[in-house]
Amino acid sequence: MNAPAPHRFALRVYWEDTDAAGIVYYANYLKFAERARTEALLVRGLRQTEIRATHGVVFAVREALVRYLAPARLEDQIVVTTRVTAITGARIAMEQDIHRDGTPLAECRIVLACLDAAGRPARIPAPVRAALGPLVAHP
Amino acid sequence: MNAPAPHRFALRVYWEDTDAAGIVYYANYLKFAERARTEALLVRGLRQTEIRATHGVVFAVREALVRYLAPARLEDQIVVTTRVTAITGARIAMEQDIHRDGTPLAECRIVLACLDAAGRPARIPAPVRAALGPLVAHP
Amino acid sequence: MNAPAPHRFALRVYWEDTDAAGIVYYANYLKFAERARTEALLVRGLRQTEIRATHGVVFAVREALVRYLAPARLEDQIVVTTRVTAITGARIAMEQDIHRDGTPLAECRIVLACLDAAGRPARIPAPVRAALGPLVAHP
Amino acid sequence: MNAPAPHRFALRVYWEDTDAAGIVYYANYLKFAERARTEALLVRGLRQTEIRATHGVVFAVREALVRYLAPARLEDQIVVTTRVTAITGARIAMEQDIHRDGTPLAECRIVLACLDAAGRPARIPAPVRAALGPLVAHP
């Protein structure tokens, strides 16, 4: 069985993303990854603001790993690919790779937890589970 | 004579842009305005990295005024319009308005200076002047 | 009558504050100014989180003007001075100047509005008015 | 043999650090960690701007892992502790823990590479090695 196509999100590197070393500041790759996660939900019709209003839950990052392979620079156009590698009752694991014209720049491994308003683990709402299912990569 | 159409740049509001008041943090509207300025040059084939390499100049903001009219919120799609109101030898004045579905959110008034590598005022390179000309709004 | 001493807040410039031009990114001076405003309240025992919980109001920036005079750079130690120039029923005007070893780097002119939970203008709580009074600069 | 005391760096959480969930945005913990690394060098008299000018090298993050344990909130005072766990010829590994009043908020595991101007691995300059030595935690 083929793996499903990952979600692809393209973005531009602006002055705000760079630092005095002339390259993208290391924390900002996590911003790029978050934008891609939000868009991966939006393209399936899921607004996190509505999920919070309807289901009373938010998604919080529990763990983030970034491996930096090559620097992105001002005005670069880069792409974030997002794969879901696991969904359990209250957690989602994702692989988010960032590249420019096929050159890998960074690899992110993200674990998200679904939390209720009190910050306790909560069951992932069915619509979110249904939306992310097609992104799950089975080995 | 009609004013030229302003440059339009659309963007999404992400978690990184918001703050604990639930709205876009006030400094981030200046990030949005800068993205729009960079795109207004790129759409005319001008990369600031190349301008710096070729002409030895960068553009620095000399003055920025922001009037905040209504808040932008998470997942909003907003638009930045950019008009050039004046170009002198070494300075460019711009009006950049930010709105969502026709609702004005913020008005930015930006003055840029063209600087050489030593940080001294420098003449705006002809290609930049030619590219921005069509954006100049004549009253 | 002498003007009161302004509030002084010192901070360091880190990598996150800089951009690929090797200097502090222009929007980040507004971050520095906000930090100074928060500290000017905290030094008088006022936490904005408590003000919101107790009085149901927040302070939102209505207008921000920044004049950029000289760039700050990585590892610089800079100081933000904060003066209150006017307090009306629901608005506060401030002058916040940023300098390094006596060299002026930026001048910020900020107008804040006191807003209730619905975003409507609200009367500035008495403790805030009392706390900021000593910062008011009378010409 | 006792482990050396880690470097401690205290900071305040400001509006810029928070997001619409009311807590510190996940990428910003990496900003806090970077500030602490810069201060750990500065307290030993090492400016990265001088290291770059003198030795022609910069430090780039190769890998960053963050485990998020509890959220930081607006106006919190938090502390970053920095321990060096290994120094090889061109790499430095660090443990940076973030806590508030003894409550652990986040754990960062950072691997830095020393790079020359061309971005190739370079030997860590002796003064940096000497400065970080006292932070090395031996099991």
Side-chain angles (χ1 to χ4, degrees):
Chain A
M1 309 300 284
N2 291 335
H7 177 260
R8 288 171 61 86
F9 174 66
L11 63 89
R12 172 93 64 192
V13 173
Y14 297 110
W15 285 98
E16 69 192 83
D17 303 312
T18 61
D19 69 17
I23 59 179
V24 169
Y25 180 67
Y26 85 126
N28 292 342
Y29 293 90
L30 288 180
K31 294 187 177 181
F32 300 163
E34 192 281 316
R35 295 181 200 175
R37 294 195 299 273
T38 288
E39 292 292 342
L41 289 173
L42 285 168
V43 77
R44 284 160 185 82
L46 291 173
R47 295 174 65 91
Q48 290 167 75
T49 39
E50 289 178 6
I51 293 170
R52 183 162 53 165
T54 306
H55 299 279
V57 298
V58 295
F59 293 93
V61 177
R62 273 292 161 261
E63 193 169 307
L65 169 68
V66 189
R67 290 187 205 103
Y68 301 91
L69 306 175
R73 294 174 191 280
L74 187 62
E75 296 174 333
D76 279 355
Q77 278 193 291
I78 64 180
V79 172
V80 184
T81 57
T82 298
R83 287 179 184 81
V84 179
T85 51
I87 306 183
T88 63
R91 294 217 167 188
I92 304 169
M94 292 184 177
E95 291 183 359
Q96 299 192 280
D97 293 338
I98 301 176
H99 51 97
R100 178 190 59 223
D101 296 335
T103 301
L105 304 179
E107 298 172 345
C108 305
R109 302 294 174 260
I110 307 290
V111 179
L112 297 158
C114 185
L115 301 180
D116 67 18
R120 289 167 309 206
R123 197 158 177 80
I124 296 167
V128 175
R129 191 175 294 272
L132 293 180
L135 288 177
V136 175
H138 293 289
Chain B
M1 308 303 284
N2 291 334
H7 177 259
R8 289 172 59 87
F9 173 65
L11 62 89
R12 171 94 65 192
V13 173
Y14 297 110
W15 285 99
E16 70 193 82
D17 303 312
T18 62
D19 70 16
I23 60 179
V24 169
Y25 180 68
Y26 86 127
N28 292 340
Y29 292 90
L30 288 180
K31 294 187 177 181
F32 301 164
E34 191 283 314
R35 296 180 199 175
R37 294 195 300 273
T38 288
E39 292 291 342
L41 289 173
L42 284 169
V43 77
R44 284 159 185 82
L46 291 173
R47 295 174 65 92
Q48 290 167 76
T49 39
E50 288 178 8
I51 293 170
R52 181 161 54 164
T54 305
H55 299 279
V57 298
V58 295
F59 293 92
V61 177
R62 272 292 161 261
E63 191 168 308
L65 168 69
V66 189
R67 290 186 205 101
Y68 301 91
L69 306 175
R73 294 174 191 280
L74 186 64
E75 295 174 333
D76 279 354
Q77 278 192 290
I78 65 182
V79 172
V80 184
T81 57
T82 299
R83 286 179 185 80
V84 178
T85 52
I87 305 183
T88 63
R91 294 216 167 191
I92 305 170
M94 292 184 176
E95 292 182 358
Q96 299 192 281
D97 293 337
I98 301 175
H99 51 97
R100 179 192 55 223
D101 296 335
T103 302
L105 304 180
E107 297 173 346
C108 304
R109 301 294 174 262
I110 307 290
V111 178
L112 296 158
C114 185
L115 302 180
D116 67 16
R120 289 169 308 207
R123 197 159 177 79
I124 297 167
V128 174
R129 192 175 295 272
L132 293 180
L135 288 176
V136 175
H138 293 289
Chain C
M1 311 297 285
N2 291 334
H7 177 259
R8 290 171 59 87
F9 173 66
L11 62 90
R12 171 93 65 191
V13 174
Y14 297 110
W15 285 99
E16 70 192 81
D17 303 311
T18 61
D19 69 16
I23 60 179
V24 170
Y25 180 67
Y26 85 127
N28 293 341
Y29 293 90
L30 288 181
K31 293 187 178 181
F32 301 163
E34 191 281 315
R35 296 181 199 174
R37 295 196 299 272
T38 288
E39 293 292 342
L41 289 173
L42 285 169
V43 76
R44 285 159 185 83
L46 291 174
R47 295 174 65 91
Q48 289 168 75
T49 40
E50 288 178 8
I51 293 170
R52 182 161 54 165
T54 306
H55 299 278
V57 299
V58 295
F59 293 93
V61 176
R62 274 290 160 262
E63 194 169 306
L65 168 69
V66 189
R67 290 188 206 100
Y68 301 91
L69 306 175
R73 296 175 190 280
L74 186 63
E75 296 174 334
D76 278 355
Q77 279 192 291
I78 65 181
V79 172
V80 184
T81 57
T82 299
R83 285 178 185 82
V84 179
T85 53
I87 305 183
T88 63
R91 295 216 167 189
I92 305 169
M94 292 184 176
E95 291 183 358
Q96 299 192 280
D97 293 338
I98 300 175
H99 51 97
R100 178 192 57 224
D101 295 336
T103 301
L105 304 179
E107 298 172 346
C108 305
R109 300 295 174 261
I110 307 290
V111 178
L112 296 158
C114 185
L115 302 179
D116 67 17
R120 288 168 310 208
R123 198 161 175 77
I124 296 167
V128 174
R129 192 175 295 272
L132 294 180
L135 288 176
V136 175
H138 293 289
Chain D
M1 310 297 284
N2 291 334
H7 177 260
R8 289 171 61 87
F9 173 66
L11 62 90
R12 172 93 66 190
V13 174
Y14 297 109
W15 285 99
E16 70 192 81
D17 303 312
T18 61
D19 69 17
I23 60 179
V24 170
Y25 180 66
Y26 85 127
N28 292 341
Y29 293 90
L30 288 181
K31 293 187 178 181
F32 301 164
E34 191 282 314
R35 296 180 199 176
R37 294 196 299 273
T38 288
E39 292 291 342
L41 289 173
L42 285 169
V43 78
R44 284 159 186 83
L46 291 173
R47 295 175 64 92
Q48 290 168 75
T49 39
E50 288 178 8
I51 293 171
R52 183 161 52 164
T54 306
H55 299 279
V57 298
V58 296
F59 293 93
V61 177
R62 274 289 162 261
E63 193 169 307
L65 168 69
V66 189
R67 289 186 205 101
Y68 301 91
L69 306 175
R73 295 175 190 282
L74 186 63
E75 295 174 334
D76 278 355
Q77 279 192 291
I78 65 181
V79 173
V80 184
T81 57
T82 299
R83 286 178 184 81
V84 179
T85 52
I87 306 183
T88 63
R91 294 216 166 189
I92 304 170
M94 292 184 177
E95 291 183 358
Q96 298 192 280
D97 293 338
I98 301 175
H99 51 96
R100 179 191 56 223
D101 296 335
T103 301
L105 303 180
E107 297 173 346
C108 304
R109 301 294 173 262
I110 307 290
V111 178
L112 297 158
C114 185
L115 302 180
D116 67 18
R120 288 168 308 208
R123 197 159 177 81
I124 297 167
V128 175
R129 191 175 295 273
L132 293 180
L135 288 176
V136 176
H138 293 289

